[in-house]
Amino acid sequence: MASIKDVAAEAGVSVATVSRVLNDHPSVSPAARATVLAAVETLGYRPNAVARSLRTDQTRTLGLVISDVLNPYFTELARSVEEEARALGYSVIIGNADERPELQDHHVRTLLDRRIDGLLVSPTDGSSPLMLDTARAGTPMVFVDRWIPGMDVPVVRADGRTAIHNLVTHLHTLGHRRLAIIAGPAATTTGSERVAAFREALQEYGLPLPDAYIGQGDFQAASGRRVTEEFLDLPEPPEVVFAADNLMALGALDAIRARGLRVPDDIALAAFDDIAWFVHTDPPITAIAQPTPELGRAAVRALVDRIEGRPPQSVTLPARLVVRQSCGEPVPPQPSPPPHSSPQRSNT
Amino acid sequence: MASIKDVAAEAGVSVATVSRVLNDHPSVSPAARATVLAAVETLGYRPNAVARSLRTDQTRTLGLVISDVLNPYFTELARSVEEEARALGYSVIIGNADERPELQDHHVRTLLDRRIDGLLVSPTDGSSPLMLDTARAGTPMVFVDRWIPGMDVPVVRADGRTAIHNLVTHLHTLGHRRLAIIAGPAATTTGSERVAAFREALQEYGLPLPDAYIGQGDFQAASGRRVTEEFLDLPEPPEVVFAADNLMALGALDAIRARGLRVPDDIALAAFDDIAWFVHTDPPITAIAQPTPELGRAAVRALVDRIEGRPPQSVTLPARLVVRQSCGEPVPPQPSPPPHSSPQRSNT
DNA sequence: CTGAAAGCGCTTACAG
DNA sequence: CTGAAAGCGCTTACAG
């Protein structure tokens, strides 16, 4: 592979001059520029990003550590992150933690070893010594979706409180009184916040949230299945199951179907995080939609601000309730439901 | 950030010795090793991967360029690729081409600039000069899922021919005679092969495949919607729509629902690529499942073989038909359908 | 077993 | 406007 030396030789100039034209440095004569460019062309030269990074101490790369790529919410988040980063001249390397703290740390470490310019993370758990050290060491960092309380790091996230309140109102109106939730890990902010918001909303309606109606999930389908089975085995099963993410809703659906029960007649179901398939499930699922692409973009902008020396900004965007049929009261059939253009886009 | 010099100073040895213990070089005295390790510990030293890469001319990084991360099939593929790569000591950088050739080339170029050790690609189109040059330049390369005919690069993929044949048999048995397909881009191998296999199978049953029954999609939901609308507008609409991927099936479902039609009573639907949600759609969708995680693993192994000087192997694994209810003849209700453990795992 | 030194491919003050 | 030279943080023959 041709190096800058080869180009210099071909063009009959020094490597310094080649470097200058490559970096659009102003003080290069038009003539020199032309010959260098010609040499670059004939050799098919491409600068070695590794060498450049070593020299300039910047990689123009962002690290993104998410808790689960297979979760459509995170896939969509990752996609918008990459898009915005590309628009700002950065690449992104994704690390999938699979909801496993050790794997999360592995990726953070690898990313740091590669000297990424900044780190975007949706932490798998409530605290990680490595994360603390990283922030303390001055690595530009921004939390997306989930965050670690007490750390002085900007947070970009959706607030689901109002939407959850609206959901409970919806459920209450439909006559449901025994509401249960499949929670995410209590160690994650989204895991605990959604339960808290749910509990608060229930309180406003004078509804209890007994421990038996708080199932401990881990944001994965299998846990949704397991918790739902436990709910159904209760002497007095809930009338509604609210899954704190779309994967656990999938598991809940599996469990309900396995028992030969029907939604919403036998039990109602709602989910946090909306996905395109929810329109076509049997029945269509009522869900809370996050402004995911906006979150991804805002997170990148905050991180790049931080990297480039501007003050980064925390951002909180509202989530919203999308009512469909899974909680009862069949909505009058719409002649033509608004189409969605991508599998993860929310509908309605 | 501490450098190897700092460690050397702290340990009272030369950087060469530090480097040796870091790389497990045999000729280091136990005493030296111990002091160096201690120094590493107290300084919290982590080797700079950028510098190491520049020096050793290897990055221990694989590039993966896929056509669409939002497509669950590719998400799952990416995940298994990363897993296998990690097991073999490599990182992977994913580039999402979004089915756009220019974006694909952008990622390939960026990856090459970063001097990745090898490239895994599922090409967006039939030929790319850049891809040709890359292979010719000797960059280790392997195609996954899709490939570019005529290039001497190992291919790891699933063969859907038999499964498609089985699907047609299934449809024919159910009495369907007017079968249509929403094809992927003809420039992709998977796009054209699936049509070819479908046509061949129809021929065996003496069934025609008129041009009007071949809709040109692009593997995205919107195209599935558009093509399905065209099908439904035909004087004689098809009885079955076979979508060449799961996203176009989603679009087809959107279009069918928008017309107030029902599956399978008014029109049957089947899809290539299985996803967990297909069990819960109304009705559950008959699909062709690929052994996706196996493909990802095999692709990484082939690429790493190539990188490390062993002869790489092309691999073809069979896809299989998963019959559900979307083509008619409701399957007798199963008391307990086999659960799936991840959202993209195929069921049944 | 150990260290001094060269060199990977760049960028960038410094001098002219 | 241009070039010679230093240096980013490593690894690795070479000599001892």
Side-chain angles (χ1 to χ4, degrees), chain A residues 52-69:
Chain A
R52 176 177 292 178
S53 292
L54 178 60
R55 180 54 229 245
T56 61
D57 201 33
Q58 54 170 6
T59 50
R60 300 241 70 176
T61 302
L62 270 26
L64 169 66
V65 177
I66 50 181
S67 5
D68 181 13
V69 242

Side-chain angles (χ1 to χ4, degrees), chain A residues 275-348:
Chain A
I275 64 171
W277 291 99
F278 280 176
V279 187
H280 299 294
T281 48
D282 179 22
I285 296 178
T286 291
I288 290 174
Q290 296 196 49
T292 318
E294 288 78 7
L295 290 175
R297 285 196 291 271
V300 169
R301 282 193 297 259
L303 184 56
V304 170
D305 280 343
R306 171 77 174 71
I307 291 170
E308 301 181 352
R310 295 179 296 270
Q313 200 128 33
S314 282
V315 175
T316 304
L317 265 24
R320 69 178 208 295
L321 178 64
V322 180
V323 173
R324 288 193 273 255
Q325 281 105 300
S326 63
C327 298
E329 186 203 36
V331 167
Q334 303 148 326
S336 172
H340 42 261
S341 61
S342 87
Q344 268 71 33
R345 263 274 295 299
S346 60
N347 315 283
T348 296

Side-chain angles (χ1 to χ4, degrees), chain A residues 33 52-53 97 111 113 130 142 159 220 229 242 337:
Chain A
R33 179 176 307 276
R52 176 177 292 178
S53 292
L111 258 9
D113 287 352
L130 178 58
V142 166
D159 181 5
Q220 303 284 326
E229 278 161 9
F242 172 44

Side-chain angles (χ1 to χ4, degrees), chain B residues 332-348:
Chain B
Q334 303 149 326
S336 171
H340 42 261
S341 60
S342 88
Q344 269 68 35
R345 263 274 296 300
S346 61
N347 317 281
T348 297

Side-chain angles (χ1 to χ4, degrees), chain B residues 10 59 164 240 278 345:
Chain B
E10 173 79 18
T59 51
I164 289 177
V240 181
F278 279 177
R345 263 274 296 300

Side-chain angles (χ1 to χ4, degrees), chain A:
Chain A
M1 200 152 245
S3 84
I4 197 172
K5 264 190 221 162
D6 302 314
V7 178
E10 174 79 16
V13 298
S14 73
V15 295
T17 297
V18 175
S19 177
R20 287 195 189 95
V21 350
L22 258 23
N23 293 290
D24 284 316
H25 187 98
S27 54
V28 182
S29 70
R33 179 176 307 276
T35 29
V36 167
L37 257 18
V40 164
E41 182 69 21
T42 77
L43 295 177
Y45 171 75
R46 296 244 88 210
N48 182 330
V50 174
R52 176 177 292 178
S53 292
L54 178 60
R55 180 54 229 245
T56 61
D57 201 33
Q58 54 170 6
T59 50
R60 300 241 70 176
T61 302
L62 270 26
L64 169 66
V65 177
I66 50 181
S67 5
D68 181 13
V69 242
L70 290 189
N71 185 324
Y73 167 74
F74 285 112
T75 314
E76 189 180 13
L77 187 69
R79 190 213 199 202
S80 74
V81 161
E82 194 277 333
E83 244 169 27
E84 184 70 10
R86 179 152 34 82
L88 299 179
Y90 288 80
S91 294
V92 4
I93 305 184
I94 302 171
N96 174 209
D98 240 332
E99 303 288 0
R100 289 157 46 193
E102 349 78 59
L103 193 47
Q104 165 183 282
D105 281 4
H106 164 86
H107 282 121
V108 170
R109 226 181 308 265
T110 304
L111 258 9
L112 257 22
D113 287 352
R114 292 165 165 282
R115 301 305 192 256
I116 44 136
D117 293 341
L119 196 58
L120 229 40
V121 13
S122 178
T124 304
D125 56 356
S127 76
S128 149
L130 178 58
M131 216 74 88
L132 266 301
D133 290 348
T134 305
R136 201 176 307 130
T139 305
M141 236 171 112
V142 166
F143 287 130
V144 231
D145 183 54
R146 316 194 321 200
W147 77 94
I148 297 180
M151 283 186 65
D152 182 26
V153 164
V155 179
V156 174
R157 65 185 191 101
D159 181 5
R161 178 161 261 104
T162 305
I164 289 177
H165 187 275
N166 293 343
L167 170 65
V168 170
T169 301
H170 170 66
L171 296 169
H172 189 266
T173 306
L174 293 172
H176 296 304
R177 295 297 178 268
R178 298 199 308 276
L179 320 188
I181 183 169
I182 309 178
T188 63
T189 46
T190 49
S192 58
E193 280 185 345
R194 289 171 195 173
V195 176
F198 191 63
R199 184 195 312 274
E200 257 176 47
L202 290 192
Q203 260 165 2
E204 285 192 36
Y205 285 95
L207 263 26
L209 182 58
D211 285 350
Y213 282 7
I214 306 178
Q216 196 48 64
D218 60 5
F219 286 137
Q220 303 284 326
S223 72
R225 201 153 41 229
R226 178 180 45 70
V227 168
T228 303
E229 278 161 9
E230 291 165 11
F231 285 158
L232 296 174
D233 284 338
L234 251 26
E236 192 168 53
E239 295 161 329
V240 181
V241 171
F242 172 44
D245 86 339
N246 76 85
L247 259 26
M248 296 194 296
L250 171 64
L253 228 33
D254 284 346
I256 292 167
R257 181 167 180 264
R259 296 271 176 122
L261 299 176
R262 305 207 36 193
V263 176
D265 311 320
D266 299 311
I267 188 160
L269 179 68
F272 203 101
D273 288 342
D274 196 19
I275 64 171
W277 291 99
F278 280 176
V279 187
H280 299 294
T281 48
D282 179 22
I285 296 178
T286 291
I288 290 174
Q290 296 196 49
T292 318
E294 288 78 7
L295 290 175
R297 285 196 291 271
V300 169
R301 282 193 297 259
L303 184 56
V304 170
D305 280 343
R306 171 77 174 71
I307 291 170
E308 301 181 352
R310 295 179 296 270
Q313 200 128 33
S314 282
V315 175
T316 304
L317 265 24
R320 69 178 208 295
L321 178 64
V322 180
V323 173
R324 288 193 273 255
Q325 281 105 300
S326 63
C327 298
E329 186 203 36
V331 167
Q334 303 148 326
S336 172
H340 42 261
S341 61
S342 87
Q344 268 71 33
R345 263 274 295 299
S346 60
N347 315 283
T348 296

Side-chain angles (χ1 to χ4, degrees), chain B residues 232-311:
Chain B
L232 296 174
D233 284 338
L234 251 25
E236 192 167 54
E239 296 162 330
V240 181
V241 171
F242 172 45
D245 86 340
N246 76 85
L247 259 26
M248 297 194 295
L250 171 64
L253 228 33
D254 285 347
I256 291 168
R257 181 166 179 265
R259 297 270 176 124
L261 299 176
R262 306 206 37 193
V263 176
D265 311 320
D266 299 311
I267 189 160
L269 179 68
F272 203 101
D273 286 342
D274 196 18
I275 64 171
W277 292 99
F278 279 177
V279 187
H280 298 296
T281 48
D282 178 22
I285 296 179
T286 291
I288 290 175
Q290 296 195 49
T292 318
E294 288 77 7
L295 291 175
R297 286 197 289 272
V300 169
R301 282 194 296 259
L303 184 57
V304 170
D305 279 343
R306 171 76 173 71
I307 291 170
E308 302 182 351
R310 296 180 295 273

